[in-house]
């Protein structure tokens, strides 16, 4: 285990070489229990990564980020030495703004900076459990509106504004008719474990039926609460390392502390279900 709240490192397995059903079952069980699992020294090819991802389900493609050349299911997260903004530099759960958010994200490291670039993960199970009974009761009937293109980004700009300003870290695409604003329960039930959890994140811009001004104090409290240190683990990357996290019950935060260095990751997401 990496921390008391969540996170476990798994050793003694080579993902790229293919794994049998027993090994996959053990990994899947550990993933559900610890919410995020880590592997080192994997050196996966994109095809290896895709094959492993598809053991968990169909691939969820990003609605805004342009895919990697030759691999429409993979997004390359590349921060070049001159870029100031990074990708994922706020607490969030991937694709929360879609009607059926990604259940899982798989991220192997291709290039890592000389220092920094760690990723933090927070347990939304722990965040829910630590709320008072009164707060749980109040939140039980609320839903959050998540927007895939709001100004909650650290830049304070929408995606297209970042593109126009020349500071977008990843090339953007038009999502077309895809739904990019969705309403989900603030208290969600995990479909596999049956546990309740807090389900708000960086994409959540207001409470359904409330104004943004009315929503701001509550969301500000919940986001600060969700990132309490006792709910968090922090992973230090190494080349060939890979993280696999459950978006349904975690948030993550990519730390932007390596200006002047390059960092390259390959991201695959797996389709999820409608939150309830």
């Amino acid at each position: 285990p990496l921390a008391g709240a969540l996170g476990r490192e798994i050793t003694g397995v080579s993902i790229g070489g293919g794994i049998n059903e027993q090994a996959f079952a053990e990994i899947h069980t550990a993933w559900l229990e610890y919410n995020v699992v880590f592997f080192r020294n994997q050196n996966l090819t994109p095809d290896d990564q895709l094959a492993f991802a598809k053991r968990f389900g169909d691939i969820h493609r990003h609605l805004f980020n342009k895919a990697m050349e030759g691999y429409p299911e993979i997004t390359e997260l590349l921060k070049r030495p001159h870029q100031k903004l990074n990708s994922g530099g706020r607490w969030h759960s991937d694709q929360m703004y879609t009607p059926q958010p990604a259940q899982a994200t798989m991220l192997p490291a291709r290039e890592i900076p000389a220092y920094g670039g760690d990723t933090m993960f927070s347990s939304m199970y722990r965040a829910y459990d630590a709320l008072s009974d009164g707060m749980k009761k109040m939140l039980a009937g609320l839903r959050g509106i998540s927007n895939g293109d709001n100004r909650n980004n650290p830049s304070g700009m929408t995606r297209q504004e970042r593109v126009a300003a020349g500071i977008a870290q990843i090339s953007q695409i038009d999502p077309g008719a895809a739904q990019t604003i969705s309403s989900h329960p603030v208290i969600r039930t995990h479909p596999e474990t049956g546990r309740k959890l807090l389900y708000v994140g960086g994409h959540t811009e207001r409470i359904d039926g409330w104004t943004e001004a009315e929503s701001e104090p509550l969301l500000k409290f919940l986001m600060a609460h969700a990132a309490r240190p006792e709910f968090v683990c922090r992973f230090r990357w190494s080349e060939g390392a890979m993280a696999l996290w459950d978006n349904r019950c975690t948030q993550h935060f990519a730390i932007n502390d390596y200006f002047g260095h390059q960092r390259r990751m390959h991201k695959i997401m797996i389709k999820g279900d409608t939150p309830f």
Side-chain angles (χ1 to χ4, degrees), residues 231-272:
F231 307 153
V232 173
C233 76
R234 177 168 174 160
F235 184 64
R236 178 166 293 177
W237 293 94
S238 55
E239 285 196 36
M242 183 176 76
L244 169 67
W245 63 87
D246 190 336
N247 283 298
R248 299 167 293 187
C249 60
T250 67
Q251 290 191 56
H252 57 283
F253 187 116
I255 301 173
N256 188 17
D257 60 350
Y258 53 98
F259 180 73
H261 297 270
Q262 185 156 296
R263 183 179 185 267
R264 185 194 306 265
M265 322 291 273
H266 283 175
K267 177 178 179 179
I268 292 180
M269 297 178 291
I270 294 98
K271 286 184 177 179

Short mmCIF file of all heavy atoms in Angstrom, two decimals, residues 231-272:
data_model
loop_
_atom_site.label_atom_id
_atom_site.label_comp_id
_atom_site.label_asym_id
_atom_site.label_seq_id
_atom_site.Cartn_x
_atom_site.Cartn_y
_atom_site.Cartn_z
N PHE A 231 -7.04 11.57 2.95
CA PHE A 231 -7.74 10.83 1.90
C PHE A 231 -6.84 10.57 0.69
O PHE A 231 -7.29 9.98 -0.29
CB PHE A 231 -8.97 11.61 1.41
CG PHE A 231 -9.94 12.04 2.47
CD1 PHE A 231 -10.74 13.16 2.27
CD2 PHE A 231 -10.07 11.36 3.67
CE1 PHE A 231 -11.64 13.58 3.24
CE2 PHE A 231 -10.96 11.76 4.65
CZ PHE A 231 -11.74 12.88 4.43
N VAL A 232 -5.59 11.02 0.74
CA VAL A 232 -4.75 11.14 -0.47
C VAL A 232 -3.55 10.21 -0.44
O VAL A 232 -2.97 9.94 0.61
CB VAL A 232 -4.28 12.61 -0.62
CG1 VAL A 232 -3.26 12.76 -1.75
CG2 VAL A 232 -5.48 13.53 -0.85
N CYS A 233 -3.18 9.72 -1.63
CA CYS A 233 -1.86 9.11 -1.84
C CYS A 233 -1.17 9.85 -2.97
O CYS A 233 -1.82 10.52 -3.79
CB CYS A 233 -1.95 7.61 -2.14
SG CYS A 233 -2.48 7.19 -3.82
N ARG A 234 0.15 9.76 -3.03
CA ARG A 234 0.95 10.46 -4.04
C ARG A 234 1.90 9.47 -4.69
O ARG A 234 2.61 8.74 -3.99
CB ARG A 234 1.72 11.61 -3.38
CG ARG A 234 2.64 12.38 -4.32
CD ARG A 234 3.11 13.65 -3.64
NE ARG A 234 4.11 14.36 -4.43
CZ ARG A 234 4.40 15.64 -4.26
NH1 ARG A 234 3.76 16.36 -3.34
NH2 ARG A 234 5.32 16.23 -5.01
N PHE A 235 1.89 9.45 -6.02
CA PHE A 235 2.71 8.50 -6.76
C PHE A 235 3.85 9.22 -7.48
O PHE A 235 3.62 10.17 -8.23
CB PHE A 235 1.86 7.74 -7.78
CG PHE A 235 2.61 6.67 -8.52
CD1 PHE A 235 3.13 5.57 -7.85
CD2 PHE A 235 2.80 6.75 -9.90
CE1 PHE A 235 3.82 4.57 -8.53
CE2 PHE A 235 3.48 5.75 -10.58
CZ PHE A 235 3.99 4.67 -9.90
N ARG A 236 5.06 8.74 -7.24
CA ARG A 236 6.24 9.26 -7.94
C ARG A 236 6.51 8.37 -9.15
O ARG A 236 6.79 7.18 -9.00
CB ARG A 236 7.44 9.30 -7.00
CG ARG A 236 8.72 9.80 -7.67
CD ARG A 236 9.79 10.15 -6.66
NE ARG A 236 9.39 11.30 -5.86
CZ ARG A 236 10.11 11.78 -4.84
NH1 ARG A 236 11.24 11.19 -4.49
NH2 ARG A 236 9.69 12.83 -4.18
N TRP A 237 6.45 8.97 -10.32
CA TRP A 237 6.60 8.22 -11.57
C TRP A 237 8.04 7.80 -11.83
O TRP A 237 8.98 8.44 -11.37
CB TRP A 237 6.11 9.06 -12.74
CG TRP A 237 4.65 9.33 -12.72
CD1 TRP A 237 4.02 10.43 -12.19
CD2 TRP A 237 3.62 8.49 -13.22
NE1 TRP A 237 2.66 10.30 -12.34
CE2 TRP A 237 2.38 9.13 -12.97
CE3 TRP A 237 3.62 7.24 -13.86
CZ2 TRP A 237 1.17 8.58 -13.36
CZ3 TRP A 237 2.41 6.69 -14.24
CH2 TRP A 237 1.20 7.35 -13.98
N SER A 238 8.18 6.72 -12.57
CA SER A 238 9.47 6.29 -13.12
C SER A 238 9.17 5.80 -14.53
O SER A 238 8.04 5.44 -14.85
CB SER A 238 10.08 5.17 -12.27
OG SER A 238 9.17 4.08 -12.14
N GLU A 239 10.18 5.81 -15.39
CA GLU A 239 9.94 5.35 -16.76
C GLU A 239 9.49 3.90 -16.75
O GLU A 239 10.07 3.07 -16.07
CB GLU A 239 11.21 5.54 -17.60
CG GLU A 239 11.46 6.99 -17.98
CD GLU A 239 12.47 7.13 -19.11
OE1 GLU A 239 12.48 6.26 -20.02
OE2 GLU A 239 13.25 8.09 -19.08
N GLY A 240 8.43 3.63 -17.51
CA GLY A 240 7.88 2.28 -17.53
C GLY A 240 6.83 2.03 -16.47
O GLY A 240 6.24 0.95 -16.43
N ALA A 241 6.58 3.01 -15.60
CA ALA A 241 5.53 2.86 -14.58
C ALA A 241 4.17 3.10 -15.21
O ALA A 241 4.03 3.83 -16.20
CB ALA A 241 5.76 3.83 -13.43
N MET A 242 3.14 2.50 -14.61
CA MET A 242 1.79 2.69 -15.09
C MET A 242 0.83 2.76 -13.91
O MET A 242 0.97 2.01 -12.94
CB MET A 242 1.35 1.55 -16.02
CG MET A 242 -0.05 1.76 -16.61
SD MET A 242 -0.53 0.49 -17.80
CE MET A 242 -0.92 -0.86 -16.67
N ALA A 243 -0.15 3.66 -14.01
CA ALA A 243 -1.21 3.77 -13.01
C ALA A 243 -2.54 3.38 -13.65
O ALA A 243 -2.78 3.65 -14.83
CB ALA A 243 -1.30 5.20 -12.48
N LEU A 244 -3.38 2.74 -12.86
CA LEU A 244 -4.73 2.36 -13.28
C LEU A 244 -5.67 2.77 -12.16
O LEU A 244 -5.58 2.24 -11.06
CB LEU A 244 -4.80 0.85 -13.52
CG LEU A 244 -6.20 0.25 -13.72
CD1 LEU A 244 -6.83 0.74 -15.01
CD2 LEU A 244 -6.13 -1.28 -13.71
N TRP A 245 -6.54 3.77 -12.44
CA TRP A 245 -7.40 4.24 -11.37
C TRP A 245 -8.87 4.16 -11.74
O TRP A 245 -9.26 4.13 -12.90
CB TRP A 245 -7.04 5.65 -10.94
CG TRP A 245 -7.19 6.76 -11.95
CD1 TRP A 245 -8.32 7.49 -12.21
CD2 TRP A 245 -6.15 7.31 -12.78
NE1 TRP A 245 -8.05 8.44 -13.15
CE2 TRP A 245 -6.73 8.36 -13.52
CE3 TRP A 245 -4.79 7.01 -12.96
CZ2 TRP A 245 -6.00 9.12 -14.43
CZ3 TRP A 245 -4.07 7.75 -13.87
CH2 TRP A 245 -4.66 8.80 -14.60
N ASP A 246 -9.69 4.10 -10.69
CA ASP A 246 -11.14 3.99 -10.79
C ASP A 246 -11.73 5.39 -10.69
O ASP A 246 -11.77 5.97 -9.61
CB ASP A 246 -11.65 3.08 -9.68
CG ASP A 246 -13.11 2.70 -9.83
OD1 ASP A 246 -13.86 3.45 -10.49
OD2 ASP A 246 -13.52 1.66 -9.27
N ASN A 247 -12.19 5.93 -11.82
CA ASN A 247 -12.75 7.28 -11.82
C ASN A 247 -14.04 7.39 -11.04
O ASN A 247 -14.46 8.49 -10.67
CB ASN A 247 -13.00 7.74 -13.27
CG ASN A 247 -11.73 8.16 -13.98
OD1 ASN A 247 -11.07 9.10 -13.58
ND2 ASN A 247 -11.39 7.44 -15.03
N ARG A 248 -14.70 6.27 -10.80
CA ARG A 248 -15.98 6.29 -10.11
C ARG A 248 -15.82 6.64 -8.64
O ARG A 248 -16.79 7.13 -8.02
CB ARG A 248 -16.68 4.94 -10.27
CG ARG A 248 -16.94 4.58 -11.73
CD ARG A 248 -17.33 3.13 -11.90
NE ARG A 248 -16.21 2.22 -11.58
CZ ARG A 248 -16.26 0.91 -11.79
NH1 ARG A 248 -17.33 0.36 -12.32
NH2 ARG A 248 -15.22 0.16 -11.47
N CYS A 249 -14.66 6.41 -8.06
CA CYS A 249 -14.49 6.63 -6.62
C CYS A 249 -13.21 7.36 -6.26
O CYS A 249 -12.81 7.35 -5.10
CB CYS A 249 -14.56 5.29 -5.88
SG CYS A 249 -13.29 4.10 -6.38
N THR A 250 -12.55 7.97 -7.24
CA THR A 250 -11.35 8.74 -6.96
C THR A 250 -11.37 10.06 -7.72
O THR A 250 -12.10 10.22 -8.70
CB THR A 250 -10.05 8.00 -7.37
OG1 THR A 250 -10.01 7.88 -8.81
CG2 THR A 250 -9.96 6.63 -6.75
N GLN A 251 -10.55 10.98 -7.24
CA GLN A 251 -10.14 12.15 -8.03
C GLN A 251 -8.62 12.10 -8.13
O GLN A 251 -7.96 11.43 -7.34
CB GLN A 251 -10.58 13.45 -7.37
CG GLN A 251 -12.08 13.69 -7.39
CD GLN A 251 -12.42 15.11 -6.95
OE1 GLN A 251 -11.94 16.08 -7.53
NE2 GLN A 251 -13.25 15.22 -5.92
N HIS A 252 -8.08 12.81 -9.12
CA HIS A 252 -6.63 12.86 -9.25
C HIS A 252 -6.19 14.27 -9.62
O HIS A 252 -6.98 15.09 -10.09
CB HIS A 252 -6.12 11.84 -10.27
CG HIS A 252 -6.71 11.99 -11.64
ND1 HIS A 252 -7.98 11.56 -11.96
CD2 HIS A 252 -6.19 12.50 -12.79
CE1 HIS A 252 -8.24 11.80 -13.22
NE2 HIS A 252 -7.17 12.40 -13.76
N PHE A 253 -4.90 14.53 -9.39
CA PHE A 253 -4.32 15.87 -9.57
C PHE A 253 -2.88 15.68 -10.05
O PHE A 253 -2.06 15.12 -9.33
CB PHE A 253 -4.36 16.62 -8.24
CG PHE A 253 -3.96 18.07 -8.29
CD1 PHE A 253 -4.87 19.07 -8.00
CD2 PHE A 253 -2.66 18.44 -8.62
CE1 PHE A 253 -4.50 20.41 -8.02
CE2 PHE A 253 -2.28 19.78 -8.66
CZ PHE A 253 -3.22 20.77 -8.36
N ALA A 254 -2.60 16.15 -11.25
CA ALA A 254 -1.25 16.08 -11.81
C ALA A 254 -0.47 17.33 -11.38
O ALA A 254 -0.86 18.45 -11.73
CB ALA A 254 -1.30 15.97 -13.33
N ILE A 255 0.60 17.13 -10.63
CA ILE A 255 1.34 18.26 -10.06
C ILE A 255 2.24 18.89 -11.12
O ILE A 255 3.03 18.22 -11.79
CB ILE A 255 2.16 17.79 -8.85
CG1 ILE A 255 1.24 17.19 -7.79
CG2 ILE A 255 2.95 18.96 -8.25
CD1 ILE A 255 1.97 16.55 -6.63
N ASN A 256 2.12 20.20 -11.25
CA ASN A 256 2.84 20.95 -12.29
C ASN A 256 4.05 21.66 -11.67
O ASN A 256 4.05 22.86 -11.44
CB ASN A 256 1.89 21.96 -12.93
CG ASN A 256 2.49 22.64 -14.14
OD1 ASN A 256 3.47 22.17 -14.71
ND2 ASN A 256 1.92 23.76 -14.52
N ASP A 257 5.11 20.89 -11.42
CA ASP A 257 6.28 21.44 -10.73
C ASP A 257 7.58 21.10 -11.45
O ASP A 257 8.61 20.88 -10.81
CB ASP A 257 6.33 20.93 -9.28
CG ASP A 257 6.42 19.41 -9.19
OD1 ASP A 257 6.26 18.72 -10.22
OD2 ASP A 257 6.67 18.90 -8.08
N TYR A 258 7.56 21.06 -12.78
CA TYR A 258 8.75 20.65 -13.53
C TYR A 258 8.97 21.51 -14.78
O TYR A 258 9.37 21.02 -15.83
CB TYR A 258 8.64 19.16 -13.91
CG TYR A 258 7.36 18.79 -14.64
CD1 TYR A 258 7.32 18.69 -16.03
CD2 TYR A 258 6.19 18.54 -13.92
CE1 TYR A 258 6.15 18.36 -16.68
CE2 TYR A 258 5.02 18.19 -14.57
CZ TYR A 258 5.00 18.12 -15.95
OH TYR A 258 3.84 17.79 -16.60
N PHE A 259 8.73 22.81 -14.64
CA PHE A 259 8.93 23.72 -15.77
C PHE A 259 10.37 23.61 -16.29
O PHE A 259 11.32 23.53 -15.51
CB PHE A 259 8.65 25.17 -15.35
CG PHE A 259 8.84 26.16 -16.47
CD1 PHE A 259 7.91 26.23 -17.50
CD2 PHE A 259 9.95 26.98 -16.50
CE1 PHE A 259 8.08 27.14 -18.54
CE2 PHE A 259 10.13 27.89 -17.54
CZ PHE A 259 9.19 27.96 -18.56
N GLY A 260 10.50 23.57 -17.61
CA GLY A 260 11.82 23.42 -18.22
C GLY A 260 12.16 21.98 -18.55
O GLY A 260 13.21 21.72 -19.15
N HIS A 261 11.29 21.05 -18.17
CA HIS A 261 11.50 19.63 -18.45
C HIS A 261 10.30 19.07 -19.21
O HIS A 261 9.21 19.64 -19.20
CB HIS A 261 11.70 18.84 -17.15
CG HIS A 261 12.92 19.27 -16.39
ND1 HIS A 261 14.16 18.69 -16.58
CD2 HIS A 261 13.08 20.22 -15.44
CE1 HIS A 261 15.03 19.27 -15.78
NE2 HIS A 261 14.41 20.20 -15.07
N GLN A 262 10.48 17.94 -19.85
CA GLN A 262 9.43 17.32 -20.66
C GLN A 262 8.84 16.12 -19.94
O GLN A 262 9.54 15.37 -19.25
CB GLN A 262 9.99 16.89 -22.01
CG GLN A 262 8.95 16.34 -22.98
CD GLN A 262 9.37 16.47 -24.43
OE1 GLN A 262 9.53 17.57 -24.95
NE2 GLN A 262 9.57 15.34 -25.10
N ARG A 263 7.54 15.92 -20.14
CA ARG A 263 6.81 14.79 -19.55
C ARG A 263 5.83 14.28 -20.60
O ARG A 263 5.06 15.04 -21.16
CB ARG A 263 6.08 15.24 -18.30
CG ARG A 263 5.31 14.16 -17.51
CD ARG A 263 4.69 14.82 -16.29
NE ARG A 263 4.02 13.92 -15.37
CZ ARG A 263 2.72 13.62 -15.40
NH1 ARG A 263 1.96 14.14 -16.36
NH2 ARG A 263 2.18 12.82 -14.50
N ARG A 264 5.85 12.97 -20.85
CA ARG A 264 4.99 12.38 -21.87
C ARG A 264 4.32 11.13 -21.30
O ARG A 264 4.98 10.23 -20.78
CB ARG A 264 5.82 11.98 -23.10
CG ARG A 264 4.98 11.46 -24.27
CD ARG A 264 5.87 10.76 -25.31
NE ARG A 264 6.95 11.61 -25.76
CZ ARG A 264 6.91 12.38 -26.85
NH1 ARG A 264 5.83 12.38 -27.61
NH2 ARG A 264 7.95 13.12 -27.18
N MET A 265 2.98 11.09 -21.39
CA MET A 265 2.20 9.97 -20.90
C MET A 265 1.21 9.55 -21.99
O MET A 265 0.83 10.37 -22.83
CB MET A 265 1.43 10.34 -19.62
CG MET A 265 2.17 11.24 -18.64
SD MET A 265 3.57 10.45 -17.84
CE MET A 265 2.76 9.68 -16.45
N HIS A 266 0.77 8.30 -21.95
CA HIS A 266 -0.23 7.81 -22.91
C HIS A 266 -1.48 7.38 -22.14
O HIS A 266 -1.41 6.45 -21.33
CB HIS A 266 0.32 6.65 -23.73
CG HIS A 266 1.26 7.08 -24.81
ND1 HIS A 266 1.95 6.19 -25.59
CD2 HIS A 266 1.60 8.32 -25.25
CE1 HIS A 266 2.69 6.86 -26.47
NE2 HIS A 266 2.49 8.15 -26.26
N LYS A 267 -2.59 8.03 -22.43
CA LYS A 267 -3.81 7.86 -21.64
C LYS A 267 -4.87 7.08 -22.41
O LYS A 267 -5.19 7.40 -23.56
CB LYS A 267 -4.36 9.25 -21.27
CG LYS A 267 -5.66 9.26 -20.51
CD LYS A 267 -6.02 10.72 -20.20
CE LYS A 267 -7.32 10.85 -19.47
NZ LYS A 267 -7.63 12.26 -19.15
N ILE A 268 -5.42 6.05 -21.76
CA ILE A 268 -6.56 5.32 -22.26
C ILE A 268 -7.63 5.30 -21.18
O ILE A 268 -7.33 5.09 -20.00
CB ILE A 268 -6.20 3.87 -22.64
CG1 ILE A 268 -5.26 3.83 -23.85
CG2 ILE A 268 -7.46 3.06 -22.96
CD1 ILE A 268 -4.86 2.42 -24.26
N MET A 269 -8.87 5.52 -21.59
CA MET A 269 -10.00 5.46 -20.65
C MET A 269 -10.95 4.33 -21.06
O MET A 269 -11.07 4.01 -22.24
CB MET A 269 -10.74 6.79 -20.64
CG MET A 269 -9.89 7.96 -20.15
SD MET A 269 -10.75 9.55 -20.19
CE MET A 269 -10.90 9.81 -21.96
N ILE A 270 -11.61 3.74 -20.08
CA ILE A 270 -12.55 2.64 -20.31
C ILE A 270 -13.96 3.13 -20.01
O ILE A 270 -14.19 3.85 -19.03
CB ILE A 270 -12.19 1.41 -19.44
CG1 ILE A 270 -10.85 0.83 -19.87
CG2 ILE A 270 -13.25 0.34 -19.57
CD1 ILE A 270 -9.69 1.25 -19.05
N LYS A 271 -14.89 2.74 -20.86
CA LYS A 271 -16.28 3.21 -20.73
C LYS A 271 -16.90 2.79 -19.39
O LYS A 271 -16.63 1.71 -18.87
CB LYS A 271 -17.13 2.65 -21.87
CG LYS A 271 -16.89 3.33 -23.22
CD LYS A 271 -17.84 2.80 -24.27
CE LYS A 271 -17.65 3.53 -25.60
NZ LYS A 271 -18.57 3.01 -26.65
N GLY A 272 -17.75 3.68 -18.87
CA GLY A 272 -18.46 3.41 -17.64
C GLY A 272 -19.96 3.39 -17.83
O GLY A 272 -20.45 3.33 -18.97
#
